[in-house]
Amino acid sequence: MEPLERYRPIVDDFEAFLEACRRPLGNAVRVNTIKASVERATATLDEEGVEYDQAAWNPRVLRLETDSPGSTWASYHGFTHGQEEVSAVPPVVLDPEPGDRVWDACAAPGGKTTQLAALMDDRGTVVGNDSNLGRLSALRFNAERLGVTSIAVTNQDARNFSMKPLAFDEFDRSLVDAPCSCEGTIRKNPDALCDWSVGHVKSVSGIQKGILRRAVQATREGGSVVYSTCTFAPEENEAVVDYVLEEEDCRVVDADADLEYAPGLTEWDDEAYDSSLERAMRIYPHHNDTGGFFVAKLEVTA
Amino acid sequence: MSGDAGDGDLEENVGQRFDRLPATADERTVEGRVSRAETLEYFADRFGIPPETFDDHTFWEKGAGKIWIYAGESPTPVELEALGMTCLRTRQEHWKPTTDFVQRFGGHATDCVIDLTREQARRFVAGEDQDLEWDGDWGYLIAAHTVAGEREPLGVGLYLHGELRSLVPKGRRRDLAGRT
């Protein structure tokens, strides 16, 4: 927990935050509406005696009372998909519509990609990209299991993603769920902070800036880009968005979801960030008893 | 099947490339490639799945006889990792749908669907073969059971000589023992 001490000045009720970080996380699943309605999925769980609670902010997210959420009929049929509750937030904020052309720049293993496809009723085009070929096989496995037919899978470095294999030259919406230092996953993975260093945070932020820039460039004017990480480090969050606001034509808009969160930061250490970063979401583990996440929504301007 | 230099119309199936299926056999330029019409006819004839089920989908071949179903936009040919989901194996004596396709679209089927009890379904998804009565056609079937009051496809089975073989791929099998 030592690396988290640096956030004492910015986290409201820091002791509650630390206490939440020490508690292991329960099992959450998302209902895959490509295969089943929420009613059908929950009826299936009821029938097999698996108890659950629906998340207050999203009825499609269920907290399961079982140690093996993959060993249910609902899971076998692809009615449900194991996905950390808070990681279901970025696709909801991006809010794609059926028929859209959507880019998921860092897609593997596909929890958010398949959620985007489900939000689009599996109509339109979701380009699921990842630079790591091995992780792409997990994405493909999950997409097929969940019955997604609207996905095209590409294997490129997102920082210089080429539209050449596609039938169009810009996206309506893009999601950058960036590789990060993963501080917010400490409840799921107690080793998450073992390799933490300021050097790693700084080096990964360079990659994040490159990917977010490309996402803004690849999205049409008036389109939306959501930037998310599962970490608290301002260097990987507000600083990345602040940099891209300077370099590309875009602005921060409200990233709203019906759960508790803190606003994005406008200063950290000796840095000041654009005041619009207040519109971003900082989701801390003690807010909703979840993992931690950062979510910012951008609108592409002229 | 080889790309004969003397015949410009005869193209090869390129391993890493997705090619959209021709609408009909008459428009075919790659030997052995099935057409969209033949694909829809197979799903209708074998399983009773209405062709209009796929009005919003296109079909593609990548890899010899591996057919993919896709709802999005794409040029053809195109080189990428995946386009939609794999749905059918052709270029073998009996065509074979995939487990994932059957789970997604098998609910539209009226023929060659074998309804299993919960216990038989458990054995099927664990990958076990089982002796069962079936008075329909032999060959590839859709195995289904009832979940929350409705029929739900489990995957593809092969029925021969009084035995239903489970063709659920290893990575999709589950041990659901203990689940009602």
Side-chain angles (χ1 to χ4, degrees):
Chain A
M1 298 292 162
E2 183 62 29
L4 300 182
E5 275 299 323
R6 66 202 291 258
Y7 306 127
R8 190 177 283 275
I10 59 168
V11 178
D12 181 47
D13 199 352
F14 190 73
E15 293 310 320
F17 166 74
L18 278 186
E19 182 55 37
C21 287
R22 287 191 194 100
R23 283 197 306 271
L25 208 54
N27 285 303
V29 297
R30 173 176 56 82
V31 175
N32 172 36
T33 48
I34 293 172
K35 286 238 181 129
S37 63
V38 173
E39 293 70 28
R40 181 114 205 267
T42 52
T44 302
L45 292 167
D46 288 339
E47 190 176 271
E48 45 186 335
V50 177
E51 294 190 32
Y52 55 85
D53 280 320
Q54 282 173 280
W57 68 279
N58 188 337
R60 297 180 180 192
V61 174
L62 312 176
R63 297 174 171 195
L64 290 198
E65 307 282 326
T66 172
D67 293 334
S68 48
S71 297
T72 62
W73 285 107
S75 169
Y76 177 77
H77 286 295
F79 296 173
T80 59
H81 180 65
Q83 185 174 355
E84 218 269 273
E85 176 170 340
V86 80
S87 105
V89 173
V92 169
V93 171
L94 188 62
D95 193 25
E97 291 174 8
D100 275 352
R101 296 157 171 174
V102 177
W103 186 34
D104 191 351
C106 315
K112 295 181 194 72
T113 324
T114 53
Q115 185 182 356
L116 292 168
L119 289 168
M120 293 160 64
D121 294 333
D122 200 26
R123 286 189 284 138
T125 304
V126 179
V127 176
N129 178 74
D130 207 276
S131 61
N132 183 320
L133 198 57
R135 283 164 57 91
L136 272 189
S137 63
L139 166 67
R140 287 181 47 192
F141 178 86
N142 285 323
E144 296 213 342
R145 187 182 84 81
L146 299 176
V148 177
T149 65
S150 55
I151 188 173
V153 178
T154 58
N155 178 212
Q156 297 189 33
D157 183 329
R159 290 173 289 185
N160 42 41
F161 184 82
S162 164
M163 303 291 286
K164 225 177 140 200
L166 308 179
F168 43 83
D169 55 16
E170 53 185 11
F171 292 101
D172 296 306
R173 295 167 211 260
S174 299
L175 173 63
V176 177
D177 183 52
C180 70
S181 58
C182 299
E183 295 162 350
T185 65
I186 183 72
R187 300 182 64 182
K188 205 92 192 165
N189 173 16
D191 296 333
L193 301 175
C194 291
D195 296 327
W196 194 95
S197 72
V198 173
H200 177 241
V201 166
K202 297 231 160 105
S203 81
V204 81
S205 76
I207 298 168
Q208 292 159 343
K209 288 171 183 168
I211 300 173
L212 184 56
R213 278 193 77 165
R214 184 69 192 111
V216 172
Q217 292 163 1
T219 305
R220 68 168 166 82
E221 186 186 335
S224 304
V225 178
V226 163
Y227 177 75
S228 64
T229 70
C230 52
T231 208
F232 308 118
E235 297 89 338
E236 298 180 57
N237 294 327
E238 287 87 347
V240 171
V241 176
D242 186 68
Y243 168 84
V244 173
L245 288 175
E246 291 277 324
E247 299 293 325
E248 302 293 336
D249 294 322
C250 58
R251 64 186 188 105
V252 184
V253 295
D254 285 329
D256 215 358
D258 199 12
L259 73 177
E260 197 183 329
Y261 57 89
L265 303 176
T266 53
E267 54 184 65
W268 170 254
D269 277 354
D270 298 330
E271 302 281 330
Y273 306 127
D274 193 282
S275 62
S276 65
L277 274 155
E278 278 181 349
R279 296 173 166 219
M281 306 168 73
R282 287 190 153 260
I283 306 172
Y284 293 114
H286 59 305
H287 282 156
N288 311 278
D289 196 19
T290 62
F293 240 77
F294 174 85
V295 185
K297 186 174 190 178
L298 303 175
E299 182 188 300
V300 179
T301 55
Chain B
M1 185 94 74
S2 68
D4 192 337
D7 185 350
D9 289 332
L10 191 66
E11 293 176 33
E12 276 188 276
N13 183 61
V14 180
Q16 283 312 301
R17 204 171 82 179
F18 282 90
D19 286 26
R20 189 166 166 169
L21 295 192
T24 63
D26 289 346
E27 293 170 37
R28 170 165 61 204
T29 56
V30 176
E31 190 180 314
R33 173 167 296 159
V34 302
S35 65
R36 175 184 175 90
E38 289 165 317
T39 301
L40 296 185
E41 194 178 293
Y42 167 77
F43 289 133
D45 285 356
R46 178 74 192 169
F47 300 110
I49 302 176
E52 56 268 27
T53 307
F54 306 106
D55 280 354
D56 294 332
H57 288 93
T58 51
F59 293 92
W60 302 71
E61 182 175 28
K62 180 187 133 179
K66 202 178 189 180
I67 309 300
W68 303 61
I69 181 168
Y70 180 54
E73 299 168 72
S74 176
T76 181
V78 65
E79 286 198 35
L80 28 67
E81 301 305 315
L83 212 52
M85 70 192 311
T86 55
C87 67
L88 184 65
R89 281 273 182 188
T90 59
R91 305 209 189 202
Q92 53 193 31
E93 192 187 345
H94 298 284
W95 292 10
K96 177 172 161 294
T98 64
T99 294
D100 292 316
F101 171 82
V102 156
Q103 281 203 349
R104 170 72 203 276
F105 293 99
H108 298 280
T110 51
D111 301 332
C112 292
V113 181
I114 187 165
D115 289 295
L116 304 181
T117 65
R118 185 54 58 91
E119 179 55 28
Q120 288 167 337
R122 255 193 216 132
R123 295 180 61 185
F124 185 84
V125 305
E128 292 176 33
D129 302 335
Q130 45 195 323
D131 294 332
L132 285 176
E133 295 283 322
W134 166 253
D135 55 12
D137 284 348
W138 290 14
Y140 295 120
L141 306 179
I142 295 173
H145 70 152
T146 300
V147 162
E150 285 175 52
R151 182 193 254 181
E152 189 66 33
L154 292 155
V156 180
L158 176 62
Y159 191 86
L160 293 169
H161 306 289
E163 185 186 56
L164 178 69
R165 292 186 198 160
S166 170
L167 300 183
V168 178
K170 281 213 174 73
R172 295 282 272 112
R173 289 180 195 165
R174 287 287 182 280
D175 184 4
L176 293 169
R179 292 259 177 243
T180 50

